[in-house]
């Protein structure tokens, strides 16, 4: 399968073709393609005149990047300190159990990706879970079930929240 | 609008202030990430709708502001000018607020805040203990302005310090003023900001760079996020003043990847500042030029470290390098560079505006000004608090924070993030400043304060931080990379009750090698969470090792779940919830947990409404 | 400028690092991630020494000699108790990482360690992550290998064969610089294998000794600006030829 090149071309025109643009370009590629496909990394390397090996080093060093495609629903469970002491671990364990995957994995149908993040900056509402771009605070096991149910019927963020309150 | 002189800026301000005076009541809705998470967008929309219905759009203004700090109670709504404080506001409440409070001046009781200690209902923001012990030098503006409006910032006096500096203060004098103010870096190290600027100004080499560290990697701290989201212009103004003082024309802000709203608001602020002639070429007609580029971090804690951050800005992997030659001489692209934290930059306009002498009056002998803390964990009021340096920890936790959640016993407070430590009850009277915290074996760090109660296990906390650092170590140097691997292994053993007392000596030896041998401060301070818990909670380690017990009931290998028969009502909630199907019992009969099957996941404890689950 | 290393007075030039100066004066400091062919890096932390200065009011510091710039009047001690402790700790950790490396075993023994006091790594290889191979590969202009990942998971590799092996010229610089022999390669009559890739071999026109792979010679020609035909003989044959020419002219 070849990937559409237009988004990449557009990203590349946004930044000056030099090494210091690398991380920003990869951020945009990650957003546009939901991962960093190897074939595109080769093109990024060529365009920015950075050795391919260096591109790979950067792509694997930073957590924002993933070489594997991410699921349609990206669940990020906060594992920051505030969330940890308020029971974040339990939330993570329950997601793992319900989705049948480990941290960092994607379900085989490509629907869910489960990830741990170190603090999303809403510690006052610990424990916190971010589903795609929606934040859920004061998480409980019950709320978690409702969130999963809402994502199955792919409701909008606000509707899902109404339901979980 | 393009302002071409400081006078034009002053005129604009007076004009805006005049307009505001004749203005109307304002409904301020907090729209920081915390309140967004509670659904404040829907609340604002509901207000807009309600005002329209009552034909009040012209008379009442809705202002969506940055974080007010009391995120726990979000969505927050403050009615100004009265200052009536409503909390946990739902979209459905908007109509009532408009009809009752705005039209009839009546207060809606069910939305007021109840002081958990006195059980009193409090109407006004200024009466709430969470706020009234604070000194909101840096953070105060947040609740009064729309962060996406440069006019709001200018109305509140913004950019006036910059205007004055550009026409009438020599760069050396700016640096003298900052030096004299005693401002120390808020990013953790506490280095004198004025001295840093002076070295960079004197350093040879062009161009010089100004960088704002907004990587905020410390899990449990979010003041930099809230500042950038809620008052980005203060940071921008601070950076422009710094650039002028140092002689730099290029600035960077390195923002943590997980902070999309901060990036958005910052970009809006930069565009507005350019449009108003406050950023870019020939700022306010002074001939001085400076611009700022925003860079999103890639998601690596180590990139908060100065040299790693600079490597990352250059497009490389974030590996630190030796700093025997300082970054003020040889930093970004090997040029002189000044890196300061978000909060440090945000202090600058206030210092210039009000003067170093005024600023010096706040704080302690060696730590001046205020510090914003992120108060979280097992405490009643969580959120951001800004207090003068030197205030005792006890006041922050018990007066502002309202004490420990569920009335449990205080055990420790973690300060300084992964490089800091856990302080016990006996340290609660210590004044909070850079040096006192370091002496006590912890650190000021970026200002995370995580409160822990008797159900928090100190071995688990130490293990948690070491695991965090293990994942975040860049892997360049041996003591940090291999040391963390081993340290984590040893703590795992302790939490399983394995190993002997000798393990503790081994840990201490290893920690000393990491402290002295690691390349950067990540590795050098990595032992702190372990050493501080060993120093203050050695007994808890010994309980794991000798009695094979986890007193806090956390370490899975050493605990058992059982049902407290007197409390169990046989409601079957836990039985249904238990994923391992380890709970048996008929409805209305006392339940039983089979500890052979039980995985110690804790779900029964979380769902039981009758305190009938015992962990020991 | 003048400084003192282990009570000996030595001379140094501005811009030099302590390790170079010590080595030049025959003072031994162990170092695993340092090589004169590449820039100093400071990763292994073995070259720690203790420094002080008459102006420092008794303050002393532990620094890595490979990266510490010389300074007039500096007093350096390469074998104090503190230095010994840190080096021993580092070697103990490295031995847990690479229990099979004879180099590490020998160094550790010099610091009194026969066996690691830590938990040895499961499935250990010989890589100590000193970064020399990556730096030399970059230096010769190929940049074919890189670190992958970070922290404890970090490893060195040719990333994703189809993508980047194209950059490897098979010159063996990495394998030769590796202090522990962690980079495997093999050579037969006509073929060299490294990083799971096979290369043809070019032999000297005269003596038939191996002079490299076609990709490597191409690369060197391009980098040096010399003609490709320069790279048809081995160094010793070329030298012998030059010497012969020299003899003819002078006589
Ligand atoms: C591992 C590590 C992480 C750090 N993270 C941050 C951070 O997230 N934000 C920050 O401002 N400083 C951080 N620092 C401190 C910076 O290196 C630097 O000292 C600071 O940004 C300087 O600014 P200041 O003088 O205004 O504090 C970190 C340091 C280390 C060693
Ligand atoms: S101390 Fe840790 S984070 Fe710092 S350079 Fe060494 S390995 Fe990297
Ligand atoms: S610790 Fe979870 S949001 Fe900060
Ligand atoms: S040789 Fe100096 S740190 Fe490795």
């Amino acid at each position: 399968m070849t990937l559409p090149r237009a988004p990449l071309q557009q990203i590349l025109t946004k930044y000056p073709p030099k090494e210091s643009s690398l991380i920003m370009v990869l951020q945009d590629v990650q957003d546009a393609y939901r991962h960093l496909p190897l074939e595109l990394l080769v093109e990024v390397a060529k365009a920015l005149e950075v050795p391919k090996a260096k591109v790979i080093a950067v792509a694997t060093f930073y957590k924002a990047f993933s070489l594997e495609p991410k699921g349609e629903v990206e669940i990020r469970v906060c594992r920051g300190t505030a969330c940890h002491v308020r029971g974040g671990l339990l939330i993570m364990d329950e997601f793992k159990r319900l989705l049948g995957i480990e941290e960092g994995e994607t379900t085989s149908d490509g629907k869910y990706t489960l990830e741990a993040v170190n603090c999303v900056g809403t510690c006052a509402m610990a424990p916190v879970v971010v589903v795609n771009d929606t934040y859920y605070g004061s998480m409980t096991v019950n709320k978690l079930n409702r969130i999963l149910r809402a994502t199955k019927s792919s409701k909008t963020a606000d509707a899902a929240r109404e339901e979980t309150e | 609008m393009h302002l071409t002189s400081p006078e034009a800026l002053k005129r604009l301000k007076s004009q805006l202030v005049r307009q505001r005076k004749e203005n109307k009541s304002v409904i301020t809705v907090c729209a920081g990430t915390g309140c967004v998470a509670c659904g404040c967008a829907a609340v604002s929309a509901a207000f807009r709708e309600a005002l329209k219905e009552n034909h009040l759009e012209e008379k009442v203004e809705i202002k969506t502001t940055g974080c007010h700090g009391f995120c726990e109670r979000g969505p927050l709504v403050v009615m100004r000018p009265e200052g009536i404080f409503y909390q946990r506001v739902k979209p459905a409440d908007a109509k009532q607020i408009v009809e009752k409070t705005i039209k009839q001046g009546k207060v809606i009781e069910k939305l007021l805040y109840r002081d958990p200690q006195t059980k009193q209902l409090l109407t006004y923001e200024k009466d709430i203990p969470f706020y009234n012990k604070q000194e909101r030098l840096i953070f105060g503006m947040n609740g009064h302005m729309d962060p996406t409006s440069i006019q709001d910032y200018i109305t509140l006096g913004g950019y006036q310090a910059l205007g004055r500096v550009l026409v009438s203060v020599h760069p050396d004098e700016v640096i003298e003023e900052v030096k004299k103010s005693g401002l120390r870096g808020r990013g953790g190290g506490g280095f004198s900001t004025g001295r840093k600027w002076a070295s960079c100004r004197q350093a040879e080499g062009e161009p010089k760079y100004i960088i704002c560290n907004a990587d905020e990697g410390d899990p449990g701290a979010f003041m930099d996020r809230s500042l950038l989201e809620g008052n980005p212009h203060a940071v921008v103004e601070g950076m422009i003043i710094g650039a002028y003082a140092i002689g730099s024309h290029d600035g960077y802000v390195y923002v943590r990847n997980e902070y999309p709203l901060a990036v958005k608001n910052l970009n809006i602020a930069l565009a507005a500042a350019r449009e108003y002639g406050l950023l870019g070429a020939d700022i306010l007609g002074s001939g001085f030029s400076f611009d700022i580029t925003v860079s999103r971090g890639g998601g690596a804690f180590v990139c908060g470290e100065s040299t790693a951050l600079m490597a990352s800005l250059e497009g490389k992997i974030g590996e630190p390098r030796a700093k025997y030659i300082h970054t003020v001489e040889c930093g970004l692209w090997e040029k002189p560079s000044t890196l300061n934290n978000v909060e440090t930059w945000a202090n600058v306009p206030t210092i210039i505006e009000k003067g170093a002498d005024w600023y010096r009056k706040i704080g302690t002998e060696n730590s001046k000004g205020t510090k914003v803390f992120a108060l979280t964990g097992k405490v009643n009021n969580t959120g951001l608090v800004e207090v003068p340096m030197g205030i005792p920890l006890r006041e922050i936790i018990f007066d502002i924070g309202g004490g420990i959640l569920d009335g449990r016993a205080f055990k420790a407070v973690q300060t300084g993030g992964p490089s800091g430590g856990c302080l016990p009850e006996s340290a609660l009277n210590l004044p909070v400043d850079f040096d006192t915290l370091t002496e006590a074996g912890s650190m000021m760090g970026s200002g995370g304060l995580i409160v822990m109660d008797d159900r928090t296990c100190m071995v688990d906390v130490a293990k948690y931080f070491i695991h965090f650092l293990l994942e975040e170590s860049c892997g360049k140097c041996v003591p940090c990379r291999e040391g963390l691997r081993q340290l984590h292994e040893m703590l795992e053993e302790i939490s399983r009750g394995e190993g002997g007392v000798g393990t503790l000596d081994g840990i201490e030896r290893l920690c000393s090698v990491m402290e002295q041998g690691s390349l950067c401060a990540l590795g050098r301070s990595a032992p702190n969470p372990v050493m501080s818990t060993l120093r203050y909670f050695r007994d808890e380690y010994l309980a794991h090792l000798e009695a094979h017990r986890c007193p806090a009931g956390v370490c899975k290998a050493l605990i058992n779940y059982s049902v407290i028969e007197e409390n169990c009502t046989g409601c079957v909630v836990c039985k249904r919830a238990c994923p391992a199907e380890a709970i048996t019992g008929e409805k209305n009969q006392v339940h039983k947990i089979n500890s052979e099957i039980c995985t110690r996941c804790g779900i029964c404890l979380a769902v039981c409404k009758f305190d009938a689950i015992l962990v020991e | 400028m003048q400084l003192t290393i282990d009570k000996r007075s030595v001379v140094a030039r501005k811009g030099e690092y302590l390790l170079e100066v010590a080595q030049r004066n025959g003072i031994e400091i162990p170092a695993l991630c340092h090589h004169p062919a590449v820039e100093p890096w400071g990763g292994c932390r073995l070259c720690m020494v203790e420094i002080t200065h008459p102006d420092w009011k008794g303050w002393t510091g532990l620094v890595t000699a490979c990266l510490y710039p010389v300074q007039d009047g500096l007093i350096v001690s390469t074998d104090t108790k503190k230095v010994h402790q840190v080096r021993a700790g580092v070697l103990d950790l490295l031995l847990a990482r690479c229990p099979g490396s004879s180099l590490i075993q020998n160094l550790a023994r010099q610091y009194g360690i026969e066996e690691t006091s830590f938990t040895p790594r499961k499935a250990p290889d010989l890589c100590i992550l000193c970064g020399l191979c990556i730096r030399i590969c970059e230096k010769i202009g190929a940049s074919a290998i890189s670190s992958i990942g970070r922290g404890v998971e970090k490893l060195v590799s040719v990333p994703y064969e189809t993508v980047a092996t194209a950059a490897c010229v098979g010159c063996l610089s990495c394998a030769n610089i590796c202090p522990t022999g962690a980079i495997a390669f093999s050579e037969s009559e006509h073929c060299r294998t490294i990083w799971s890739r096979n290369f043809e071999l070019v032999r000297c026109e005269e003596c038939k000794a191996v002079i490299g792979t076609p990709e490597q010679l191409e690369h060197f020609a391009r980098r040096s600006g010399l003609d490709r035909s320069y790279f048809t003989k081995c160094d010793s044959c070329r030298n012998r030829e030059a010497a012969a020419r020299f003899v003819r002219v002078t006589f």
Side-chain angles (χ1 to χ4, degrees), chain A residues 44-65:
Chain A
V44 169
K46 211 184 289 161
L48 302 183
E49 292 179 33
V50 178
K52 282 166 283 195
K54 279 198 175 177
V55 175
I56 298 285
V58 167
T60 56
F61 184 90
Y62 294 102
K63 271 223 190 118
F65 306 133

Side-chain angles (χ1 to χ4, degrees), chain B residues 319 324 472 474 482 486 517, chain C residues 45 64 97 119 150-151 154:
Chain B
E319 276 179 0
Y324 301 135
E472 295 296 337
C474 81
E482 304 300 328
Q486 299 296 345
Chain C
R45 318 305 289 171
T64 42
R97 178 181 172 88
T119 317
R150 72 171 182 225
K154 181 159 115 173

Side-chain angles (χ1 to χ4, degrees), chain B residues 279-299:
Chain B
L279 193 66
D282 194 16
I283 294 175
L284 290 177
S286 66
F288 173 69
S289 306
F290 174 69
D291 212 332
I292 295 175
T293 310
V294 179
S295 209
R296 269 163 73 200

